[in-house]
Every structure is written in C-alpha cells, then in structure tokens.
Amino acid sequence: MSTTDTDNSRGQEDQQEDLGAAGSQLSTAPRDEISSVPGLGLIGWTRWFWRQLTSMRVALLLLLLLSLGAIPGSLIPQTGADAAKVEAFRAAHTTLAPVYDKLGLFHVYSSVWFSAIYILLFVSLIGCIIPRTWQFVGQLRGRPPGAPRRLDRLPAYTTWRTEADPEQVREAALALLRGRRFRAHTAGDAVAAEKGYLREVGNLVFHSALIVMLVAFASGQLYKSDGTKLMVEGDGFSNALPMYDDIKSGSLFQADDLVPFSFDLKDFKGTYELTGPNRGTPRTFEAKITYSKGAYGKERSTTVKVNEPLEIDDSKVYLVSHGYAPVITVRDGKGKVVYHAPVPLLPLDGNVTSQGVIKVMDGYRDAKGAKDMLGVKAFFLPTYGGAGREVASAFPALLNPVLNLEPYHGDLGVNSGIPQSVYQLDKTHMKAFKDTEGRQLRGNLKPGQTLKLPDGAGSITLEKDVKEWAGFEIVQEPGSGWALGGALAAIFGLAASLFIQRRRVWVRAVRGADGVTVVELAGLGRSESAKVPEELGALAGTLYDKAPGAPEPDDDSTETPVAPAEGAEK
C-alpha cells in the first residue's frame, strides 16, 4: 500500500482543468464575475443591469445600505412614532430641520430612498434564489459525476493493493458509502458518491427567509396599528377606533382589520423596595384584567405585566405606564354634586409626583345660581414628605397621599372649537378664587378632606378611595409571526451553510498488470478543510478491513500489510 504526499504548489486552474466535471457544481452559488459592459442597445443594457443587480456583491451592498439607512430612523425622531418630538426637534434645530425634511429623515421607513433600497434588495434576492433553486433541483435529480482520470491529483487521496476482485471492492465501497449517508452509484470502474446537500439547502433557506422577513416587515408596516389607552381601575375597553386615546396605523390599515376583543381593568398593583440603597425602585407592576374575544366570547381572567403582554390573535396588549387617579367630588353653591369621578394625573418623576386638571363644564352654578365652569389644577404627592418637601413625593407608593388644589372659574374655552388637552388648563378666560387675604386660593387635602370655595361657591372633596390607572399599548402587526419564523429559518439556514461541507468521494478498483487489484480513494470538498481528509481516512480504514492489502512484489509474502492511515492526504 502507498499514499501520495500533499502537493499545495500545483495551481488551482490546472487542478480544475484535470478534475473537469468532477470538481464542478459543488455549490449553487452564482459565479461572481466582472461583467463586461455590453454594446449599445436596450436589451444589452437591461441584461447587464440584471446581472449586476442579482450578483452577490450587489446583494450584500444593498443589505449593508439597508442597515445603514435604518440608523437615522433610530437616532432621529420619527413623525409616525412621536410627532411631538419631531416638532420639538424642529424648534430646537432651525437650520438642520429643513435639511432633514428634504432627505426624508423624519420619516425614514416611508421615504423614497429607503423604499428604493428595500425593493432593489427584494428583487436581487429573488433573482438569486430562482436560478440557484433550479440548478440545485437539477443536481438532486442527477447523479454524482464519475471519477476523474487522475485521482491522485485530488486534495485527499490514498491507495493500496488488494487480492480481492475489483467487483467485490466496488460493491463493498458502494455499501459503505450508502451506509454513511452518501448518494452513491457505480460509474465505470469506480464508485462516485456525494454528501452535504444540506449546505445548499441552508443557503436557499437563508435567502428565502430574508425574503419572508422583508415581506413580513412590509406587510406589518402597511397593515399595522399602534394605539394607547389610559384606563382607571374599573374602566373597560373595546377594540374599536373611538375607544383609543391615540392611534397610529399603516397606509393600508382599515378599521375592520382590528381584532375584535374587549377587556376590563379590575385592579392594578405596584410594589417597590421599601429599604436599602434601592428604596423606591419598582419591583412589580401587575394589571389584573378580564377579557373576551369577539362579541360573545367567553370571559377570561389574566394578569398583564411589564414585558408579558396579553396576546389575542395578531394583537398584543402591553402594560406601558401607570399613575394615580384621586376620586374627586365637586359640589356647587347649593350643595349639589356636579362632578364625581376619578381624575387621572400624569407622573412627573420616579416617585410618581403627579399633576393634572379637573374640569367641570356642565351643571355647576355659583352661590348666586349663575351658570359657570370650574377648572382646578391638581398636584398629587403619593407620599408627602412634610414641611420643606411640598414639591415632590418622597416615595412612589400611597404612604401619605396629599392633593394640592388650585381652583379657577370662568370660561374653559371648550366651546371655541380649538382642541385642548385634558391635562392642561387654559386660564385665558379664567379667574382665580381668592382667599381671605386676597391671594390665590390653594389647599392641601388628605383623603376624606374638603376644600371650601370662597363666598359659598361650593366645595371640592378628595375621597378616601384613591384609585390607580394603567396605560396600555395595543399593537397589531399581522406579519410579526412570519417575521419571527423567517428570522429563525435564516439562523438555521446560515448555520447549515457554514457548518456543513459539500464533498465528493470516489473509489476506483481496477486490476493491475500483475493481476492484483489496485484500490484508489480520493475526496474533494468545496473548500480546503481537514474534514475531507479525515473522513476519507475513516472510509479507507473501514474499506481496508473488507479488502485487506496485498504484499508488495518485492516484500516477503509473510509480511502483514498495513492499513492506510486515517486522514491520509495527497
């Protein structure tokens, strides 16, 4: 038995010329050649452009541009996400904002240039996948190519002499290779085998998964909806457009696309660290709700937590914020209750120092019985820290709640036709209530206490029941499941294309001039790898046991032949 030595100095072009068809089509990747500029003519230019667009270089370049294009969408405020931040940016950057407008950087994902990159990448991927798939199907329908004339010129090679018949050696090799999950067949005086087709499957799956992700992303943006709803404990919500406080949607979204469901907020609970250096740090936020799917669905109970949304078909209900809603009772000059409701107040800091407005628009009459309106600025401290700490809460939980009130009366401006925030008070046509010293009337109330308005104008009571509110974000993205599936498929496809090697093995057995059978094994992989020589050595060792080596002509006939070493190389 003899083994050839490795020869790395031979040129790759000479080697490919010797291997012929045996060394070709180890991959379905299109050849990345520099195309020559065609002659004049529409068809020539179109063909040249298509070849460039579907080349691997251009596909990678477009993918890089898409990633770079998404960076300003993350760093610069976007109109679709937060229009208020965009306006604030415009006011703060009067020179830069017009430039951003011309470049479409305030709406990156719907801009012309981002859409162009997106569409070109989509077309490029399709142009790569279709020919590769067709070529791969052709390879699966065919057989591994026959052995080259000179097996000793392959990267991994071994040979020995045996007294077994060539037919027996080939049959043993065929059974061995098929047992190792090779696709094998007898071609002339050799057995041809191939393995590692999952590498090309992984390549095709990876590129197909990218298309699935692009389609899912596009459909998600076109048909998505993203709305918010503030709910006080005891409130209910039905998934319809009028029920939202604010909602943004894709260009193809329709009101009928909303998933039909409803839910009620039964209770909200937040817990915080009471001691230590992390005192006041939130521990848990939980919203207990009951929900039902459809108009007549069965009512179910669940708990929505931060990062643990309620999922109903394509919709997800996230818990995104919380605060306090003191229950306020307002009586007019005759003692009649004209307002009784919880008032959600917006947090200002981590200790949930909150502010808001109480607006009494109908039913209120002053001490003389004249119709009037009340507007009361409210400032709430969940934990009042005592004298010197009146402007901020000392702890986020309701340990010592205090509500500061600043009442006004007059025209709230709600009938002017100009929209206004429920959390802000327009004092343009309002007059402040004065205390006995002629100063702005203010009062600090604890639960159960009442602030009397001057001159018998009524009273404002803070009820003992201080409720909490929870802010929910209801997101509906039809393509999210497909996007996740595409991402997982892309990961597995990429792993298969990186870790599985396409390789071929040939076993030739012919009778020599002296009547002794000469066995040759050779292997070829797509790239230089230690796996092919190691695998060939293992195959040679197993086959050698079935076709033991014969003594060399000059050796003593009693000498025991030696099996080929595993990992034998050229």
Side-chain angles (χ1 to χ4, degrees), residues 222-394:
L222 293 173
Y223 294 96
K224 76 171 184 178
S225 64
D226 187 347
T228 58
K229 179 63 177 179
L230 186 149
M231 297 177 62
V232 180
E233 292 172 323
D235 287 350
F237 172 81
S238 179
N239 195 25
L241 288 180
M243 297 294 294
Y244 283 91
D245 296 332
D246 179 51
I247 186 170
K248 300 182 291 290
S249 60
S251 57
L252 299 182
F253 171 81
Q254 300 292 332
D256 295 338
D257 295 334
L258 289 173
V259 177
F261 68 88
S262 60
F263 67 91
D264 298 330
L265 176 61
K266 296 299 182 181
D267 182 60
F268 180 87
K269 182 179 181 181
T271 60
Y272 309 88
E273 293 288 346
L274 296 175
T275 58
N278 296 324
R279 184 176 185 271
T281 302
R283 296 180 59 186
T284 60
F285 290 140
E286 299 179 349
K288 296 182 178 180
I289 66 174
T290 59
Y291 72 97
S292 61
K293 180 180 177 181
Y296 305 101
K298 180 180 179 181
E299 189 175 84
R300 299 179 176 87
S301 298
T302 188
T303 300
V304 179
K305 302 178 182 179
V306 178
N307 296 326
E308 296 183 18
L310 169 65
E311 298 186 26
I312 304 176
D313 293 341
D314 290 332
S315 291
K316 293 183 179 180
V317 181
Y318 293 91
L319 176 63
V320 295
S321 59
H322 88 289
Y324 294 102
V327 180
I328 304 297
T329 300
V330 179
R331 293 176 173 84
D332 63 8
K334 297 183 178 180
K336 179 183 177 182
V337 176
V338 294
Y339 184 91
H340 178 78
V343 181
L345 305 178
L346 299 181
L348 300 176
D349 56 28
N351 285 330
V352 202
T353 305
S354 307
Q355 71 174 5
V357 174
I358 305 166
K359 297 182 179 181
V360 183
M361 296 172 285
D362 298 316
Y364 173 76
R365 295 178 181 271
D366 58 17
K368 300 179 180 180
K371 291 183 178 181
D372 204 354
M373 295 182 181
L374 287 183
V376 184
K377 296 181 64 176
F379 192 77
F380 183 70
L381 307 179
T383 300
Y384 178 64
R389 303 186 63 180
E390 297 91 347
V391 296
S393 176

Side-chain angles (χ1 to χ4, degrees), residues 452-465:
K452 297 287 187 179
L453 298 178
D455 302 326
S459 64
I460 305 173
T461 301
L462 173 62
E463 303 294 343
K464 294 183 178 181
D465 181 20

Side-chain angles (χ1 to χ4, degrees), residues 33-35 47-55 57-58:
E33 300 176 349
I34 299 176
S35 303
R47 184 179 302 165
W48 178 85
F49 177 78
W50 177 254
R51 288 177 179 174
Q52 298 303 313
L53 181 60
T54 56
S55 66
R57 292 194 307 271
V58 174

Side-chain angles (χ1 to χ4, degrees), residues 178-229:
R178 287 178 174 175
R180 299 291 180 90
R181 299 190 302 276
F182 278 84
R183 293 182 63 201
H185 71 104
T186 302
D189 59 359
V191 175
E194 188 169 357
K195 192 177 183 180
Y197 287 90
L198 285 179
R199 179 188 182 93
E200 303 307 328
V201 174
N203 279 327
L204 296 174
V205 168
F206 173 73
H207 288 85
S208 300
L210 290 181
I211 292 182
V212 172
M213 292 174 62
L214 290 174
V215 173
F217 177 78
S219 64
Q221 293 298 312
L222 293 173
Y223 294 96
K224 76 171 184 178
S225 64
D226 187 347
T228 58
K229 179 63 177 179

